[in-house]
Amino acid sequence: MLVFAGLGNPGAKYENNRHNVGFMAADAIARRHSFSPWSRKFQGLISEGTLGGEKILLIKPQTFMNLSGQSVGEALRFYKLEPSALTVFYDEIDLAAGKLRVKVGGGSGGHNGIRSLDQHVGNAYRRVRIGVGHPGVKEMVHGHVLGDFAKADREWLDVLLDAIADGAALLAKGDDSSFMNRVTLALRDKLVPTGDDDRPPPKAPKQQSHVRQARPQQPAAKLPESGPMAAMLKKLFGKD
């Protein structure tokens, strides 16, 4: 068995927070792969299913973010699993919004949920870091992660969550590189360019066919200078 944990805070107040993108990833996986209904166990919500032939326990700790390790640690101990059986999905302010990286081990990077997990299960587990961007000033980080995703964010967020769900079996098989490649390609293929640097180069002007280029240019028609037609034109255009 493998454990996939999505981190977040319980309750409607936090549902759409950037800090809850781990919960969103777990929900997307459960929906896409027809996991069992969510039920309460291990101080969290759990759902079971299979990915890539592996039995998966999805868990969303309900202990609040700062105590996530209590819930996930309890599940690992119950099933006698090593940290290597654990994959954690969580928000990462040090990645640009919409970016994703996977790594095993490392520090907490100031993330309280990861710090709690490290305390309870060690740090030798896989981390799926989902970029939510940095507000630019350290003092604004707390409000940023506990703020809701903006409507404009849904464009990349929905694509990213779908791609995570689509590629989850690759994580279960331990193929982290293929998983990251699939997510990256999905974002590249489905998202509308957001800046001039991302836009495709403008199309070159349509070239004339060789036949049209070879045709002699017709001179402009010469207007009559005398006679009835000339008189009529002078009258129409007010020329003396």
Side-chain angles (χ1 to χ4, degrees):
M1 173 182 278
L2 301 175
V3 175
F4 280 17
L7 303 190
N9 286 311
K13 176 182 177 181
Y14 305 102
E15 185 176 359
N16 295 309
N17 286 182
R18 295 178 181 88
H19 220 24
N20 271 39
V21 75
F23 275 10
M24 297 175 195
D27 287 334
I29 292 170
R31 287 193 303 268
R32 179 62 51 84
H33 299 281
S34 301
F35 274 49
S36 67
W38 293 97
S39 61
R40 291 192 171 273
K41 195 173 185 179
F42 309 126
Q43 303 179 65
L45 294 175
I46 64 168
S47 178
E48 296 179 333
T50 58
L51 292 170
E54 296 283 351
K55 186 175 181 181
I56 305 293
L57 176 77
L58 272 175
I59 183 167
K60 297 189 295 182
Q62 301 294 290
T63 51
F64 285 93
M65 180 68 82
N66 294 3
L67 301 176
S68 297
Q70 293 182 3
S71 173
V72 176
E74 187 176 331
L76 290 180
R77 289 189 296 272
F78 181 86
Y79 290 108
K80 297 181 173 58
L81 296 173
E82 296 295 323
S84 57
L86 173 64
T87 297
V88 180
F89 301 82
Y90 66 98
D91 58 297
E92 175 60 81
I93 61 171
D94 289 331
L95 285 177
K99 300 294 184 182
L100 178 145
R101 296 289 184 272
V102 180
K103 70 173 185 177
V104 175
S108 68
H111 193 288
N112 288 332
I114 297 300
R115 182 180 291 116
S116 177
L117 281 164
D118 289 353
Q119 292 171 351
H120 285 269
V121 305
N123 72 344
Y125 53 87
R126 181 192 287 116
R127 301 135 192 263
V128 179
R129 303 158 62 216
I130 302 170
V132 297
H134 196 290
V137 180
K138 184 178 179 181
E139 290 73 20
M140 296 176 63
V141 166
H142 183 78
H144 178 71
V145 296
L146 290 180
D148 286 355
F149 282 108
K151 288 184 179 180
D153 292 326
R154 297 307 308 191
E155 183 178 10
W156 63 261
L157 181 61
D158 290 344
V159 173
L160 179 59
L161 293 174
D162 284 345
I164 289 172
D166 287 341
L170 294 169
L171 286 176
K173 294 176 181 177
D175 194 348
D176 298 352
S177 295
S178 293
F179 171 76
M180 284 191 287
N181 287 339
R182 176 173 290 192
V183 172
T184 299
L185 288 173
L187 288 165
R188 184 182 302 164
D189 292 345
K190 296 181 182 179
L191 289 183
V192 175
T194 55
D196 290 339
D197 291 342
D198 296 329
R199 296 184 184 278
K203 292 183 178 180
K206 188 175 180 181
Q207 298 295 321
Q208 290 184 338
S209 69
H210 295 301
V211 174
R212 288 183 64 88
Q213 290 177 10
R215 288 177 181 169
Q217 297 296 318
Q218 297 295 326
K222 189 175 180 180
L223 297 177
E225 297 179 357
S226 60
M229 180 63 73
M232 182 180 73
L233 289 172
K234 288 179 181 180
K235 187 176 181 180
L236 283 174
F237 294 106
K239 292 182 179 181
D240 295 331

